[in-house]
Structure formats: structure tokens, C-alpha cells
Amino acid sequence: MKNKRVTSIALETLSKEKGLLIGLILSAVAVVITGLIPPMLLRQFIDNNLSKGTTVGLSMLTLLYVLVLFGIGLADFLKGVVLTTLGQKITYRMRSATMAKRLLMDHLYFTKTMEGDTVSRIINDTEAVDVLFTGGIVSMIIDLFKIIGIVLSIFIISSKLGLVTLGLVPVIMIITSQFQRGMLKAQRRSRALIGMISQRIAETLRNMLVIKANGHERSMMDRFKNTLKQHYFANESINGYDSLFPVVIQITKAGSIAILILSITSNTAWIGITIGSLAAVIELLSNLFDPIENVGSELQSIQQAIAAINRIDEYLAQKEEAPRNQNLDVKEILSIRPAVLEFKDVSFSYEDNQAVLKDIDLTIQGGQKVTFIGRTGVGKSTLLKLVLGLLPADHGSITLNGIDVSTIAHSAQRQLYGSVDQNFPLIKGTLKQQITLNDPAISDEMVISALSKVGLSKLCTQVSQGLDALIPQELSLSEGQKQLVAIARAIATDPPILILDEISSGLDSVSDARIKDTIAKVSQDKIVLSVTHRLSSISDDVTVVILQEGIVKNSGLAKDL
Ligand code: ATP
Ligand code: MG
């Protein structure tokens, strides 16, 4: 997939939502124009009716006034609805695009990046795009037009007062933006501290047993209280700004109106202005404050959103996996028997120039069981990930019946491989879902059979919900049981290749023997690649491959080594 950028995704959404876009433009124009009418009506009322003491046309004026106020509310409502809908559509597309990217990304990115970082980009940063395109840019354009409209209206009433207002705009802007800057700083600090508090809670919950076992309750509590206290002070400062801000705005407003009135009274040439015009100008001037305040905060939102957008763009530009062959016929690959898995001169490194595996040459045939052994960190799990096509070889190739494993589509993999990872993650869901991974082709009978092969048939009868018991709410599993469930997941589809990474590390000797027996029974003509540190449990007919410093040091049948 061509790397998309945030702006192109947002513009794509806007171009697909032409109706909403037109609605937005119309409602924005209506918001700007309707907002300018009431002061003009007020001017009419004072100059034509109040000053002259006549009621001619008053009912019409009143009706118009009510209608205009209704129009202002309606235009504002419509603008809000259209903006929110557009914003939601953009967020939806952004989240879909970032998640789709995650599925296409090179596996190496995730081995180097913290999970929380990716989550934050998909959840928080995508929301910032909504802020930029709707709340930020659109609202700012509307507010700028409101400011221009108000200043123009004052110019129309009196060009001299228009000039005074024009001089006041930057002063009001400076005062509000100074205040908003301080407020934003306090808000940022508060948000950062909230993040820290959630992190501390998650960390404490995760490590509760370690904390208690080592008597660290007090120091944990002190650390937590300290962060809470800092958050309290940050919020106090926000509250201070919150309560002072309206006061400052009122004072600036009063000062501006005073300057306007003084500029009229101090200059006799200006005295000709009508009372109605003066009232309209004062009303317009008061209306100037809201959009000026908004522009300040919108500019800040835009700045923050741009930082978030840069983070998403950086994420969207990450390297993707080489394209896989979606048309590969799995049945055809499987029809060649015995299956041949061939490593040709395979080298791999996580970091540049630090080879983990070097020049691996192996040929494994269907029915052959191969166990990789070697010191911790030698590269056993890495080698299995290369076979699964999760990591790309830097050099050389791994082929299954002549097909490069890195080209096999992920959707086809479960028909070929059953794998148990060294860290076997359970998924959110029921006992059945742990085995099927929501694949409808795996029936309840297949699930029960797989569970019984690993000695877990009792699990289904232990709880009333049986296979539908939610894990961990209704059925909790021990570490060893989780390992057995992972093995059941691997063997459920009866795949021709089993890849088992230290599957017996959490099992007692009885369960271990049972699993060995089960694997032997279900894998008569299969290729079984495994990793173990329990050398004593390796059967004589198993081929042992000894890895040392990234190369195959020795290999042969266990009984011959
Ligand atoms: P163990 O017996 O402990 O499971 P292993 O033989 O399975 O070890 P691997 O997990 O394959 O070892 O790791 C091989 C080497 O690659 C180690 O030195 C490890 O530090 C490094 N390594 C593993 N995963 C990554 C990663 N995501 N990024 C960078 N280096 C890694
Ligand atoms: Mg390992």
C-alpha cells in the first residue's frame, strides 16, 4: 500500500462528503451574517423609535429581531451538527487507516516500539486530526470572518469608530492570548500528571504481589501521593485562570468601551454620531471578544494537532511487510508429500550488523521432528519466527515445498502451521474462542477433541457455561493450563507443520509426558519444529540442531549425539 499521509486521508473524507461540506459552508456563512444583524436592528430601534417616540414599524422590527435570534441559534446548531459529523467521519477513517497500517507493518517495528506508544497514536493522535480539520481550522476561519464582519459593520456605521476598533483588536488579542498561554501550560501539566497517575495505578496493580512480598506498600503509596499532590496544584492553577479569565475579559471590555466613548466626546467633529449608532457599535464591540478569545484557543489547538499529525504521519510512513501472495493455493502446497522445509544460507539480524542467525542451511522433511537447542538468547525463537514468515531473512531463503514462507498470506497460515509461542497470549473471549480464534471452520467437536488431546477436557465440565465460559471472568487458568490451551489451539486444525517454542516450561512431568505423547500421536507425518531446554525429555528419534553463536554447531539424531 502506498504510504498515505494524514492530510490526504482527511481530504479524501471531505471530498467524499460533499453534502456535509456544502452544509458546513452555508451554515458558517449564516453564522457570520446573522450575528451582525441584531446590533443593526438595535440601532434602528433607538434612532427611529426610541429617540422619536414613535411606534411606527416597531412590531415589524421586533418580529425581525426575534426571527434573527432564532436564525442565529439555528445556524449555530447546524454548524455544530455538520462539524461534529465531519469530525467523527475523519476520526473513523483515521483510526481505520492507522489500524490497517498496523496489520501491514513490518513485525520489527513492534519489537522496537512500546505498545502504549502505538495505542496513543491510534486513539489520541487520530482525535487531534478531528480537532485540526473541524474544531481548529474551520472554527478559526468562522471566527476570523466574524471579526472582519464586526469591524466592517462598525466601519459602515462610522469609519472613525471603525478605525478606533481596528486599533483595539490587537490589544484585546494580546491580553487574551497572554492569559490563554498560561492556562494552556497549566492544562498540559495537569494532563501529563493524569497520564503519570494512570501509569502508576496500572504499574501498582500489575506488580501488587511483588510490592506486597517485598514490603514496598509505603514507598509506593508515598510516590503515588506525591504525584496526586502535584496534580492537585496543577488543577488549582487551572481553576485560578478559569475564575480570573472572565474578570480580565470584563475589564478589557469596559476599558475598550470607555476608549470608544472618550474618543467620541473628546473630539467635537465626531459628535454627530447618533445614539443608536453608538449603541450598535458598543454591542458590536462586545461581540468582538468571543471570536478573538476563540481564535487564541483555536491557534493553540491547531499547534497541538499539528504535533499529533506529525506523529501519525511518522507512523504511517513506517516500513511495511513485503507483499504476500494472496492467490497462493494452499492445497497445492500441501499436495506435495512429504513436505520439505528448506533453509538456504539464512542470515538474520534485528539491529544492523549484529547477526543473530548466520548461514543456516537445513532441510527438514515431513514426518521429521527437529528440536533446536542452545543457550538463552542464541536465536531459537527468532529462527521459528522466520519459519512462520513473521520476520524477513536478511539473506537466503526459507521455503516450504519450494514456496518462500515470507510470501505466504497470513490468511493461509493457519492451514499450514500450528504454533505455540514462548509467551502464549490468551485472547479476550471464551474458552472456545481461545482455540478457534473466531475461525468458523473450527467446529465445537474439533475444539473438544483438541482440549481432550492436551488433557483439558475437564475444563469444559468445570463451569456451567462449558466452552462458552469467559476467560478469566468465569474460568481462570494456571500458567501451565494456559500453555496447554495454546497447544490445543495449535493442533486444533491438524496442520502439517507444528512450531512449538518451549511448550513444556510451565508443565509438571506428568503433563509434559502427556503432551509429548499427544504431539507424537498427532504428528506422525508432520514436520515438528520445537525448542526446549529440557534435554532429558528429547526422544531418540528426534533430530537435534545445536545453535551456537548464531550458527548450526552440530546436528543429528538425538541417539547419535
Ligand atoms: P531463550 O532461550 O531465552 O528463549 P532464544 O534463543 O529464543 O532465547 P531469541 O529470542 O531468538 O533467543 O533472541 C535472540 C537474540 O536476539 C537475543 O540476543 C535477543 O537479545 C535478540 N532479540 C530478540 N528479540 C529482539 C528484538 N525484538 N529486537 C532486538 N533484538 C532482539
Ligand atoms: Mg526463545
Side-chain angles (χ1 to χ4, degrees):
M1 185 178 89
K2 190 175 162 288
N3 283 333
K4 282 192 173 179
R5 290 178 67 89
V6 169
T7 33
S8 65
I9 296 170
L11 291 177
E12 228 171 64
T13 317
L14 294 180
S15 70
K16 287 214 165 97
E17 302 293 339
K18 290 204 178 69
L20 282 175
L21 208 56
I22 292 171
L24 179 63
I25 295 170
L26 291 181
S27 56
V29 171
V31 165
V32 173
I33 292 176
T34 49
L36 298 173
I37 302 175
M40 298 307 183
L41 295 179
L42 181 71
R43 177 189 182 199
Q44 289 278 64
F45 167 65
I46 296 174
D47 287 348
N48 291 352
N49 299 97
L50 210 58
S51 310
K52 294 180 184 161
T54 165
T55 55
V56 178
L58 192 58
S59 44
M60 196 59 199
L61 207 61
T62 315
L63 182 69
L64 204 60
Y65 192 78
V66 172
L67 282 179
V68 169
L69 285 192
F70 176 73
I72 292 177
L74 187 68
D76 222 27
F77 165 75
L78 289 177
K79 182 203 79 178
V81 170
V82 177
L83 265 187
T84 317
T85 316
L86 261 182
Q88 286 306 311
K89 289 197 183 247
I90 291 177
T91 309
Y92 172 83
R93 275 184 164 247
M94 288 306 311
R95 290 205 175 128
S96 308
T98 40
M99 198 59 199
K101 174 76 188 183
R102 193 263 169 262
L103 297 176
L104 292 170
M105 258 156 140
D106 194 319
H107 181 73
L108 279 176
Y109 175 80
F110 298 98
T111 65
K112 291 186 179 131
T113 317
M114 297 289 284
E115 221 173 81
D117 183 71
T118 310
V119 173
S120 160
R121 285 177 207 229
I122 296 178
I123 300 294
N124 306 337
D125 290 345
T126 46
E127 217 156 71
V129 183
D130 168 14
V131 172
L132 177 72
F133 283 90
T134 58
I137 293 182
V138 175
S139 301
M140 194 170 82
I141 292 174
I142 295 175
D143 284 319
L144 285 175
F145 273 110
K146 275 187 187 170
I147 297 172
I148 295 170
I150 290 174
V151 175
L152 274 181
S153 301
I154 298 179
F155 260 104
I156 291 169
I157 296 170
S158 154
S159 55
K160 288 163 188 161
L161 290 183
L163 279 176
V164 178
T165 313
L166 211 55
L168 284 172
V169 171
V171 180
I172 303 171
M173 273 185 169
I174 290 169
I175 294 174
T176 47
S177 72
Q178 282 304 322
F179 219 85
Q180 281 169 330
R181 209 168 289 168
M183 171 98 104
L184 183 76
K185 215 168 143 191
Q187 279 168 347
R188 270 201 201 130
R189 179 149 176 72
S190 166
R191 271 202 296 273
L193 284 161
I194 274 287
M196 207 184 277
I197 289 172
S198 356
Q199 204 180 326
R200 293 231 190 289
I201 293 174
E203 188 187 325
T204 312
L205 291 178
R206 207 170 35 239
N207 298 317
M208 191 54 87
L209 286 179
V210 180
I211 294 166
K212 285 199 166 186
N214 292 286
H216 277 311
E217 293 99 322
R218 198 169 177 81
S219 61
M220 286 302 295
M221 200 58 214
D222 286 347
R223 210 158 64 119
F224 189 62
K225 272 190 184 162
N226 187 23
T227 318
L228 270 187
K229 210 179 277 175
Q230 288 180 44
H231 181 248
Y232 168 84
F233 288 122
N235 271 10
E236 279 293 277
S237 143
I238 294 175
N239 290 341
Y241 278 114
D242 263 348
S243 42
L244 269 180
F245 194 54
V247 179
V248 173
I249 290 295
Q250 276 307 326
I251 294 172
T252 320
K253 211 179 259 186
S256 307
I257 293 171
I259 291 173
L260 211 65
I261 294 173
L262 278 178
S263 59
I264 296 172
T265 50
S266 63
N267 190 336
T268 45
W270 288 18
I271 291 204
I273 191 165
T274 64
I275 300 177
S277 299
L278 179 63
V281 171
I282 290 176
E283 177 76 4
L284 283 166
L285 189 68
S286 303
N287 292 348
L288 200 56
F289 278 75
D290 273 352
I292 290 182
E293 266 176 51
N294 293 344
V295 168
S297 51
E298 280 147 9
L299 273 176
Q300 284 166 354
S301 316
I302 289 173
Q303 266 175 10
Q304 282 173 329
I306 287 174
I309 285 169
N310 286 339
R311 280 195 296 273
I312 307 179
D313 272 341
E314 183 195 270
Y315 170 89
L316 289 177
Q318 289 299 322
K319 200 170 147 227
E320 292 179 3
E321 278 184 340
R324 298 192 173 228
N325 185 353
Q326 303 296 337
N327 302 319
L328 212 60
D329 188 348
V330 179
K331 284 202 185 99
E332 205 178 301
I333 308 177
L334 294 177
S335 65
I336 304 173
R337 287 191 182 248
V340 179
L341 183 70
E342 201 167 12
F343 290 68
K344 270 195 203 142
D345 215 9
V346 174
S347 300
F348 175 80
S349 55
Y350 286 102
E351 312 287 343
D352 291 343
N353 304 325
Q354 286 179 23
V356 173
L357 296 169
K358 284 173 272 185
D359 311 325
I360 308 279
D361 279 301
L362 288 170
T363 302
I364 302 163
Q365 299 234 340
Q368 203 177 347
K369 322 283 177 258
V370 179
T371 290
F372 295 92
I373 61 172
R375 300 286 301 270
T376 295
V378 76
K380 305 178 293 293
S381 301
T382 304
L383 187 132
L384 297 189
K385 286 192 182 110
L386 283 163
V387 176
L388 284 166
L390 293 175
L391 295 172
D394 296 339
H395 184 259
S397 65
I398 303 176
T399 54
L400 173 63
N401 287 347
I403 307 289
D404 192 321
V405 292
S406 62
T407 64
I408 297 173
H410 292 299
S411 55
Q413 276 178 326
R414 201 161 182 201
Q415 295 171 60
L416 296 172
Y417 305 111
S419 82
V420 181
D421 194 76
Q422 198 170 359
N423 309 304
F424 29 89
L426 289 174
I427 59 160
K428 188 172 166 18
T430 62
L431 176 59
K432 179 177 155 186
Q433 285 170 320
Q434 305 303 325
I435 312 292
T436 63
L437 297 177
N438 295 323
D439 181 350
I442 302 174
S443 64
D444 282 6
E445 288 69 37
M446 288 161 84
V447 173
I448 293 169
S449 151
L451 283 173
S452 96
K453 278 179 188 154
V454 298
L456 283 183
S457 34
K458 266 199 194 139
L459 274 189
C460 309
T461 48
Q462 205 172 313
V463 276
S464 55
Q465 297 86 344
L467 284 182
D468 294 323
L470 277 174
I471 293 178
Q473 289 87 343
E474 288 151 4
L475 185 63
S476 294
L477 301 176
S478 73
E479 291 305 310
Q481 284 172 326
K482 284 184 201 163
Q483 211 155 9
L484 293 173
V485 167
I487 298 166
R489 183 191 289 173
I491 61 174
T493 49
D494 197 23
I497 303 174
L498 286 178
I499 296 182
L500 313 167
D501 196 350
E502 288 199 53
I503 54 167
S504 54
S505 61
L507 305 181
D508 61 64
S509 54
V510 176
S511 303
D512 185 21
R514 174 181 200 125
I515 287 302
K516 238 178 85 184
D517 198 37
T518 304
I519 302 282
K521 270 191 211 142
V522 299
S523 66
Q524 263 146 23
D525 59 348
K526 294 186 200 301
I527 290 177
V528 181
L529 305 182
S530 60
V531 167
T532 187
H533 282 294
R534 287 195 192 180
L535 302 188
S536 57
S537 71
I538 301 174
S539 313
D540 284 352
D541 59 342
V542 168
T543 306
V544 175
V545 176
I546 304 171
L547 292 175
Q548 195 177 326
E549 290 171 6
I551 58 163
V552 175
K553 182 76 182 161
N554 201 355
S555 68
L557 283 177
K559 60 178 183 213
D560 303 332
L561 286 176

